[in-house]
Amino acid sequence: MNADYPRSLAILGQDLLARDKEAPLNFADWLANHLADFQLPPFLPDLARLEELVAEVGRLDLDLAPSPEGSMVNPTLRLAQFSWQNLVPILAGRAEEGEPGEQLVLIWRLASGAVRYKNAGPRDLLALKLVEEHVELAQVAREHQVTLAYLDRILERAEQEEYILVPATTLSRDPSVFKANDFISAKHLSSSTFTLQWHITQACDLHCKHCYDRTSRQAVDFEQGLAILDDFRAFCREHHVCGQVTFTGGNPLLYPRFSELYQAASERGFQLAILGNPTSPAVLAELQAVQPLEFYQVSLEGLAGHNDHIRGPGHFQRSIDFLAVLQEMGIYSMVMLTLTRANQNQVLALAEILKDKVDLFNFNRLALVGEGAQLLSAPTESYEEFLERYEEASLSNPCMGRKDNHLNALFARQGNASFGGCTGYGCGAAFNFVSLLAEGEVHACRKFPSFIGNICDNTLAEIYHSPAARKYRSGSQACRACEIRAVCGGCLAVTHGMGLDVFTDKDPYCFFS
């Protein structure tokens, strides 16, 4: 018995218990019967009952695997009501005295075997009600005039604490194509986050020489935009993933009702980010007041002269100034460079300039698509050497990121550990992200024509599970037997741009064998 009631016995004292000649059948009841006899603290029986529940839950041998059907209450959970408050702090060693008053306490066991207990607050009880009664969140949000994001946060906290159990993500790689091995962790085979890269407008205040698409596309109106966000939320809940909306374009800030759309996305519980052009501190402040950005990414194409040749006069300095604004406002900043033959020898110099100005600097290889087809790609024959120099420089430059999948080929040759590749899962086209164009077309990747459906005609779930999307997810047949496939797969856009078949041919930059 001593092991089950450590705090109660410490307060009681073993000598008092020994005075009773009959061993108590129920320690809490025994304490209640002897309060006056031994002048015991009146909260002690309730403390013993709490300790008894903690011990009982710790001995439960129940399956804590979540139901694949949806969220469920942890089967070990006990909800107990006590006549005294402050019991949880006493049990945790943070208090000495109880206080009169009703208190609900949650006790449950984690998958690790550890037992947790806490006072049950209104949000805890709401989380349990939402899950136990399978309540429709949208209806609750309307009735109580709260956002879906508010309800999501309540559920997420319960899920993190494990008194609500959630199914694993259903976004998993095809095991016949993607396999874990000594180089690739199983974490690279399933994604708990899905990104909707939403090119909400073709309008842009720049005219870059490598633009993938300058065609005219009529953007969906605001009401259609709300329907898209609702559909995306349904997709995320169905697949048990966290949703991120990355607004881009064109310049997303030129969408006529962008701030309202941003607000609507926030209310639906999505992480939010922007791939765009420099803007004013006032615009940033307005967005931050609604929901802090996960990141804001701008592009630079090399040193000032070359960058401004590609993106327009004065763009380089405007971007550098804007990075300072992001830094001052505490917004995670990213810079992306499109690698070409003309700027390859400027990458490391630019990274050095950005060293203390940006949180993350990355590059993507040019896809010879749209106006970018007029430029020259970086040479394939020296690409491995370029990656070696890039990786060596990154050791002393914390802003230099790893994005290109072929870095994993380099690491595999060197015997170093892998990283997640372009999207955290090698080529993530139609796997952990899709690109949604202004008028509703959905593509596996924005950098080349990869149509998989139209969100105005079908749900995102229908598009995601379509044969076209599955084909892009599988990637090239040429990569199927490769041991680093799950964190590489090359770049389909680059392969396409060089006149090859993305479903049968290897990325021409591949040097791994």
Side-chain angles (χ1 to χ4, degrees), residues 406-471:
H406 291 308
L407 280 166
N408 274 319
L410 184 69
F411 296 158
R413 281 190 172 185
Q414 296 173 340
N416 296 329
S418 67
F419 78 110
C422 181
T423 68
Y425 305 90
C427 175
F431 173 57
N432 68 321
F433 82 94
V434 294
S435 291
L436 173 60
L437 306 193
E439 85 290 14
E441 283 190 9
V442 180
H443 288 247
C445 174
R446 182 64 178 107
K447 292 169 59 182
F448 76 111
S450 47
F451 179 79
I452 55 176
N454 192 304
I455 207 162
C456 298
D457 300 327
N458 297 99
T459 66
L460 183 57
E462 291 169 338
I463 294 169
Y464 185 86
H465 294 290
S466 68
R470 286 199 297 269
K471 193 173 182 181

Coordinates of all heavy atoms in Angstrom, one line a residue, residues 406-471:
H406 N 19.7 16.7 -54.5 CA 21.0 16.0 -54.9 C 22.1 16.2 -53.8 O 23.1 15.5 -53.8 CB 21.5 16.6 -56.2 CG 20.7 16.1 -57.4 ND1 20.4 14.8 -57.6 CD2 20.1 16.8 -58.4 CE1 19.7 14.7 -58.7 NE2 19.5 15.9 -59.2
L407 N 21.8 17.1 -52.8 CA 22.7 17.1 -51.6 C 22.7 15.8 -50.9 O 23.7 15.4 -50.3 CB 22.3 18.2 -50.7 CG 22.7 19.6 -51.1 CD1 21.9 20.7 -50.2 CD2 24.2 19.8 -50.9
N408 N 21.6 15.1 -50.9 CA 21.5 13.7 -50.3 C 22.4 12.7 -51.1 O 22.9 11.8 -50.5 CB 20.1 13.2 -50.2 CG 19.4 13.7 -49.0 OD1 20.0 13.8 -47.9 ND2 18.1 14.2 -49.1
A409 N 22.5 12.9 -52.4 CA 23.4 12.0 -53.1 C 24.8 12.3 -52.7 O 25.6 11.4 -52.5 CB 23.3 12.3 -54.6
L410 N 25.2 13.6 -52.4 CA 26.5 13.9 -51.9 C 26.7 13.3 -50.6 O 27.8 12.7 -50.3 CB 26.6 15.4 -51.9 CG 27.9 16.0 -51.5 CD1 29.0 15.8 -52.5 CD2 27.8 17.5 -51.2
F411 N 25.7 13.4 -49.7 CA 25.9 12.9 -48.3 C 26.0 11.4 -48.3 O 26.8 10.9 -47.5 CB 24.7 13.4 -47.5 CG 24.6 14.8 -47.3 CD1 23.4 15.4 -46.9 CD2 25.7 15.7 -47.5 CE1 23.3 16.8 -46.8 CE2 25.6 17.0 -47.3 CZ 24.4 17.6 -46.9
A412 N 25.2 10.8 -49.2 CA 25.3 9.3 -49.2 C 26.7 8.8 -49.6 O 27.2 7.9 -49.1 CB 24.2 8.8 -50.2
R413 N 27.3 9.5 -50.6 CA 28.6 9.2 -51.0 C 29.6 9.4 -49.9 O 30.6 8.7 -49.8 CB 29.0 10.0 -52.3 CG 28.4 9.5 -53.6 CD 29.0 10.2 -54.7 NE 28.6 9.7 -56.0 CZ 29.1 10.0 -57.2 NH1 30.0 11.0 -57.2 NH2 28.7 9.5 -58.3
Q414 N 29.4 10.5 -49.1 CA 30.4 10.8 -48.1 C 30.1 10.1 -46.8 O 30.9 10.2 -45.9 CB 30.3 12.3 -47.8 CG 30.7 13.2 -49.0 CD 30.4 14.7 -48.7 OE1 29.6 15.1 -47.8 NE2 31.0 15.6 -49.5
G415 N 29.0 9.3 -46.7 CA 28.7 8.6 -45.5 C 28.1 9.4 -44.5 O 28.1 9.0 -43.3
N416 N 27.5 10.6 -44.8 CA 26.9 11.5 -43.9 C 25.4 11.2 -43.8 O 24.8 10.5 -44.7 CB 27.1 12.9 -44.3 CG 28.6 13.3 -44.2 OD1 29.3 12.8 -43.4 ND2 29.0 14.2 -45.0
A417 N 24.7 11.7 -42.8 CA 23.3 11.4 -42.6 C 22.5 12.2 -43.7 O 22.9 13.3 -44.1 CB 22.9 11.8 -41.2
S418 N 21.3 11.7 -44.0 CA 20.5 12.4 -45.0 C 19.7 13.5 -44.3 O 19.6 13.6 -43.1 CB 19.5 11.4 -45.6 OG 18.6 11.0 -44.6
F419 N 19.2 14.4 -45.1 CA 18.2 15.4 -44.7 C 16.9 15.1 -45.5 O 16.9 14.2 -46.3 CB 18.7 16.8 -44.8 CG 18.7 17.4 -46.2 CD1 17.8 18.4 -46.5 CD2 19.5 16.9 -47.2 CE1 17.7 18.9 -47.8 CE2 19.5 17.4 -48.5 CZ 18.6 18.4 -48.8
G420 N 15.9 15.9 -45.3 CA 14.6 15.6 -45.9 C 14.5 15.9 -47.3 O 13.5 15.5 -48.0
G421 N 15.4 16.6 -47.9 CA 15.3 16.9 -49.3 C 14.4 18.1 -49.5 O 14.1 18.9 -48.6
C422 N 14.0 18.3 -50.8 CA 13.3 19.6 -51.2 C 12.2 20.0 -50.3 O 12.0 21.1 -49.9 CB 12.9 19.4 -52.6 SG 12.1 20.9 -53.3
T423 N 11.3 19.0 -50.0 CA 10.1 19.4 -49.2 C 10.1 18.6 -47.9 O 9.0 18.6 -47.2 CB 8.8 19.0 -50.0 OG1 8.7 17.6 -50.1 CG2 8.8 19.6 -51.4
G424 N 11.2 18.0 -47.5 CA 11.2 17.2 -46.3 C 11.0 15.8 -46.6 O 11.1 14.9 -45.8
Y425 N 10.6 15.5 -47.9 CA 10.3 14.1 -48.3 C 10.8 13.9 -49.8 O 10.1 13.3 -50.6 CB 8.7 13.9 -48.3 CG 8.2 14.2 -46.9 CD1 7.8 15.5 -46.6 CD2 8.2 13.2 -45.9 CE1 7.3 15.7 -45.3 CE2 7.8 13.5 -44.7 CZ 7.3 14.7 -44.3 OH 6.9 15.0 -43.1
G426 N 12.0 14.4 -50.0 CA 12.5 14.4 -51.4 C 11.6 15.3 -52.2 O 11.2 16.4 -51.8
C427 N 11.4 14.8 -53.4 CA 10.4 15.6 -54.3 C 9.0 15.3 -53.7 O 8.5 14.2 -53.8 CB 10.5 15.1 -55.7 SG 9.2 15.9 -56.8
G428 N 8.4 16.4 -53.2 CA 7.1 16.2 -52.6 C 5.9 16.5 -53.5 O 4.8 16.7 -53.0
A429 N 6.2 16.6 -54.8 CA 5.1 17.0 -55.7 C 3.9 16.0 -55.5 O 4.0 14.8 -55.7 CB 5.6 16.9 -57.1
A430 N 2.7 16.6 -55.2 CA 1.5 15.9 -55.1 C 1.5 14.9 -53.9 O 0.7 14.0 -53.8 CB 1.1 15.1 -56.3
F431 N 2.5 15.1 -53.0 CA 2.6 14.3 -51.8 C 2.3 15.1 -50.6 O 1.2 14.9 -50.0 CB 3.9 13.6 -51.7 CG 4.1 12.9 -50.3 CD1 3.2 11.9 -50.0 CD2 5.1 13.2 -49.4 CE1 3.3 11.2 -48.7 CE2 5.2 12.5 -48.2 CZ 4.3 11.6 -47.9
N432 N 3.2 16.0 -50.2 CA 2.9 16.8 -49.0 C 2.6 18.3 -49.4 O 2.6 19.1 -48.6 CB 4.0 16.7 -48.0 CG 5.3 17.4 -48.5 OD1 5.7 17.3 -49.6 ND2 6.0 18.0 -47.6
F433 N 2.5 18.5 -50.7 CA 2.0 19.8 -51.2 C 1.4 19.7 -52.6 O 1.7 18.7 -53.3 CB 3.1 20.8 -51.2 CG 4.0 20.8 -52.4 CD1 3.8 21.6 -53.5 CD2 5.1 19.9 -52.5 CE1 4.6 21.5 -54.6 CE2 5.9 19.8 -53.6 CZ 5.6 20.6 -54.7
V434 N 0.6 20.6 -52.9 CA 0.2 20.8 -54.3 C 0.2 22.3 -54.6 O 0.1 23.1 -53.6 CB -1.2 20.3 -54.6 CG1 -1.3 18.7 -54.5 CG2 -2.3 20.9 -53.7
S435 N 0.2 22.7 -55.8 CA 0.1 24.1 -56.2 C -1.3 24.4 -56.8 O -1.7 23.7 -57.7 CB 1.2 24.4 -57.2 OG 2.5 24.4 -56.7
L436 N -1.9 25.4 -56.2 CA -3.3 25.8 -56.7 C -3.1 27.1 -57.4 O -2.7 28.1 -56.8 CB -4.2 26.0 -55.5 CG -5.6 26.6 -55.7 CD1 -6.4 25.7 -56.7 CD2 -6.4 26.7 -54.4
L437 N -3.5 27.1 -58.7 CA -3.3 28.3 -59.5 C -4.5 29.2 -59.3 O -5.6 28.8 -58.8 CB -3.1 28.0 -60.9 CG -1.9 27.0 -61.2 CD1 -1.6 26.9 -62.7 CD2 -0.7 27.3 -60.4
A438 N -4.4 30.4 -59.9 CA -5.4 31.5 -59.6 C -6.8 31.1 -59.9 O -7.7 31.4 -59.2 CB -5.0 32.8 -60.3
E439 N -7.0 30.4 -61.1 CA -8.4 30.2 -61.5 C -8.9 28.8 -61.0 O -10.0 28.5 -61.3 CB -8.4 30.3 -63.0 CG -8.1 29.0 -63.8 CD -6.6 28.7 -63.7 OE1 -5.8 29.2 -62.9 OE2 -6.1 27.8 -64.5
G440 N -8.1 28.1 -60.3 CA -8.5 26.8 -59.7 C -7.8 25.6 -60.1 O -8.1 24.5 -59.6
E441 N -6.9 25.7 -61.1 CA -6.2 24.5 -61.6 C -5.3 24.1 -60.4 O -4.7 24.9 -59.7 CB -5.3 24.8 -62.8 CG -6.1 24.9 -64.1 CD -5.2 24.9 -65.3 OE1 -4.0 24.8 -65.1 OE2 -5.7 25.1 -66.4
V442 N -5.2 22.8 -60.3 CA -4.2 22.2 -59.3 C -3.1 21.5 -60.0 O -3.4 20.6 -60.9 CB -5.0 21.2 -58.3 CG1 -4.0 20.7 -57.3 CG2 -6.1 22.0 -57.6
H443 N -1.9 21.8 -59.7 CA -0.7 21.1 -60.3 C 0.1 20.5 -59.2 O 0.1 20.9 -58.1 CB 0.1 22.2 -61.0 CG -0.5 22.6 -62.3 ND1 0.0 22.4 -63.5 CD2 -1.7 23.4 -62.5 CE1 -0.8 22.9 -64.5 NE2 -1.8 23.5 -63.9
A444 N 0.8 19.4 -59.6 CA 1.7 18.7 -58.7 C 2.8 19.6 -58.2 O 3.2 19.6 -57.1 CB 2.2 17.4 -59.3
C445 N 3.3 20.5 -59.1 CA 4.3 21.4 -58.8 C 4.1 22.6 -59.7 O 3.8 22.5 -60.9 CB 5.7 20.8 -59.1 SG 7.1 21.9 -58.9
R446 N 4.4 23.8 -59.2 CA 4.1 25.1 -59.9 C 5.2 25.3 -61.0 O 4.9 26.0 -62.0 CB 4.1 26.3 -59.0 CG 3.8 27.6 -59.6 CD 2.4 27.6 -60.2 NE 2.1 28.9 -60.8 CZ 2.0 29.1 -62.2 NH1 2.4 28.1 -63.0 NH2 1.7 30.2 -62.6
K447 N 6.3 24.7 -60.8 CA 7.5 25.1 -61.7 C 7.4 24.4 -63.1 O 8.2 24.7 -64.0 CB 8.8 24.7 -61.0 CG 9.1 25.5 -59.8 CD 10.2 24.9 -59.0 CE 11.5 24.8 -59.8 NZ 12.6 24.2 -59.0
F448 N 6.4 23.6 -63.3 CA 6.2 23.0 -64.7 C 4.8 22.6 -64.8 O 4.1 22.3 -63.8 CB 7.2 21.9 -65.0 CG 6.9 20.6 -64.3 CD1 6.5 19.5 -65.1 CD2 7.0 20.4 -62.9 CE1 6.2 18.3 -64.5 CE2 6.7 19.2 -62.3 CZ 6.3 18.1 -63.1
P449 N 4.3 22.5 -66.0 CA 2.9 22.0 -66.2 C 2.7 20.6 -65.7 O 3.3 19.6 -66.2 CB 2.7 22.1 -67.7 CG 3.7 23.0 -68.2 CD 4.9 22.8 -67.3
S450 N 1.9 20.5 -64.6 CA 1.7 19.1 -64.0 C 0.3 19.1 -63.5 O 0.0 18.8 -62.3 CB 2.7 18.9 -62.9 OG 2.8 20.1 -62.0
F451 N -0.7 19.3 -64.4 CA -2.1 19.4 -64.0 C -2.6 18.1 -63.5 O -2.4 17.0 -64.0 CB -2.9 19.7 -65.3 CG -4.4 19.8 -65.1 CD1 -4.9 21.0 -64.5 CD2 -5.2 18.8 -65.5 CE1 -6.3 21.1 -64.3 CE2 -6.6 18.9 -65.3 CZ -7.1 20.0 -64.7
I452 N -3.3 18.2 -62.3 CA -3.9 17.0 -61.7 C -5.4 17.2 -61.4 O -6.0 16.3 -60.9 CB -3.2 16.6 -60.4 CG1 -3.1 17.7 -59.4 CG2 -1.8 16.0 -60.8 CD1 -2.4 17.3 -58.1
G453 N -5.9 18.4 -61.7 CA -7.4 18.6 -61.5 C -7.7 20.0 -61.3 O -6.8 20.9 -61.4
N454 N -9.0 20.3 -61.1 CA -9.4 21.7 -60.9 C -10.3 21.7 -59.7 O -11.3 21.0 -59.6 CB -10.2 22.2 -62.1 CG -10.4 23.7 -62.0 OD1 -11.0 24.2 -61.1 ND2 -10.0 24.4 -63.1
I455 N -9.9 22.5 -58.7 CA -10.6 22.6 -57.4 C -12.0 23.1 -57.5 O -12.8 23.0 -56.6 CB -9.8 23.3 -56.4 CG1 -10.1 22.8 -55.0 CG2 -10.0 24.8 -56.5 CD1 -9.0 23.2 -54.0
C456 N -12.3 23.8 -58.6 CA -13.7 24.3 -58.8 C -14.6 23.1 -59.3 O -15.8 23.3 -59.3 CB -13.7 25.4 -59.9 SG -12.8 26.9 -59.3
D457 N -14.0 22.0 -59.8 CA -14.8 20.9 -60.3 C -14.8 19.7 -59.3 O -15.7 18.9 -59.3 CB -14.2 20.5 -61.6 CG -14.3 21.6 -62.7 OD1 -15.2 22.4 -62.6 OD2 -13.4 21.6 -63.5
N458 N -13.7 19.6 -58.6 CA -13.6 18.4 -57.7 C -13.0 18.9 -56.3 O -12.4 19.9 -56.2 CB -12.6 17.4 -58.3 CG -13.2 16.8 -59.6 OD1 -12.8 17.2 -60.6 ND2 -14.1 15.8 -59.5
T459 N -13.2 18.1 -55.3 CA -12.6 18.4 -54.0 C -11.1 18.1 -54.1 O -10.6 17.3 -54.9 CB -13.2 17.5 -52.9 OG1 -12.9 16.1 -53.1 CG2 -14.7 17.6 -52.9
L460 N -10.4 18.7 -53.1 CA -9.0 18.4 -53.1 C -8.7 17.0 -52.8 O -7.7 16.4 -53.3 CB -8.3 19.3 -52.0 CG -6.8 19.2 -51.9 CD1 -6.1 19.5 -53.2 CD2 -6.3 20.2 -50.8
A461 N -9.5 16.3 -52.0 CA -9.3 14.9 -51.7 C -9.4 14.1 -53.0 O -8.7 13.2 -53.2 CB -10.3 14.4 -50.6
E462 N -10.4 14.4 -53.8 CA -10.6 13.7 -55.1 C -9.4 13.9 -56.0 O -9.0 13.0 -56.6 CB -11.9 14.1 -55.7 CG -13.2 13.7 -55.0 CD -14.4 14.3 -55.6 OE1 -14.3 15.4 -56.2 OE2 -15.5 13.8 -55.3
I463 N -8.9 15.1 -56.0 CA -7.8 15.4 -56.9 C -6.5 14.7 -56.4 O -5.8 14.1 -57.1 CB -7.6 17.0 -56.9 CG1 -8.7 17.6 -57.6 CG2 -6.2 17.3 -57.6 CD1 -8.7 19.1 -57.5
Y464 N -6.3 14.8 -55.0 CA -5.1 14.2 -54.4 C -5.1 12.7 -54.7 O -4.0 12.1 -54.9 CB -5.1 14.4 -52.9 CG -3.9 13.9 -52.2 CD1 -2.7 14.8 -52.2 CD2 -3.8 12.7 -51.7 CE1 -1.6 14.3 -51.6 CE2 -2.6 12.2 -51.0 CZ -1.5 13.1 -51.0 OH -0.4 12.6 -50.4
H465 N -6.2 12.0 -54.7 CA -6.2 10.5 -54.9 C -6.5 10.1 -56.3 O -6.7 8.9 -56.6 CB -7.3 9.9 -53.9 CG -6.9 10.1 -52.5 ND1 -5.9 9.4 -51.9 CD2 -7.5 10.9 -51.5 CE1 -5.8 9.8 -50.6 NE2 -6.7 10.6 -50.4
S466 N -6.4 11.1 -57.2 CA -6.6 10.8 -58.6 C -5.4 10.0 -59.2 O -4.3 10.1 -58.7 CB -6.8 12.1 -59.4 OG -5.6 12.8 -59.5
P467 N -5.6 9.3 -60.3 CA -4.5 8.6 -61.0 C -3.4 9.6 -61.4 O -2.2 9.2 -61.3 CB -5.2 7.9 -62.2 CG -6.6 7.7 -61.8 CD -6.9 8.9 -60.9
A468 N -3.8 10.8 -61.8 CA -2.8 11.7 -62.2 C -1.9 12.1 -61.1 O -0.6 12.2 -61.2 CB -3.4 13.0 -62.8
A469 N -2.5 12.4 -59.9 CA -1.7 12.8 -58.8 C -0.8 11.6 -58.3 O 0.4 11.8 -57.9 CB -2.6 13.3 -57.6
R470 N -1.3 10.4 -58.3 CA -0.5 9.3 -57.8 C 0.7 9.1 -58.7 O 1.7 8.7 -58.3 CB -1.4 8.0 -57.8 CG -2.4 8.0 -56.7 CD -2.9 6.6 -56.4 NE -3.6 6.1 -57.6 CZ -4.9 6.2 -57.8 NH1 -5.7 6.8 -56.9 NH2 -5.5 5.7 -58.9
K471 N 0.5 9.4 -60.0 CA 1.6 9.2 -61.0 C 2.7 10.1 -60.7 O 3.9 9.8 -60.7 CB 1.1 9.4 -62.4 CG 2.0 8.9 -63.5 CD 1.4 9.0 -64.9 CE 2.3 8.4 -65.9 NZ 1.7 8.5 -67.3

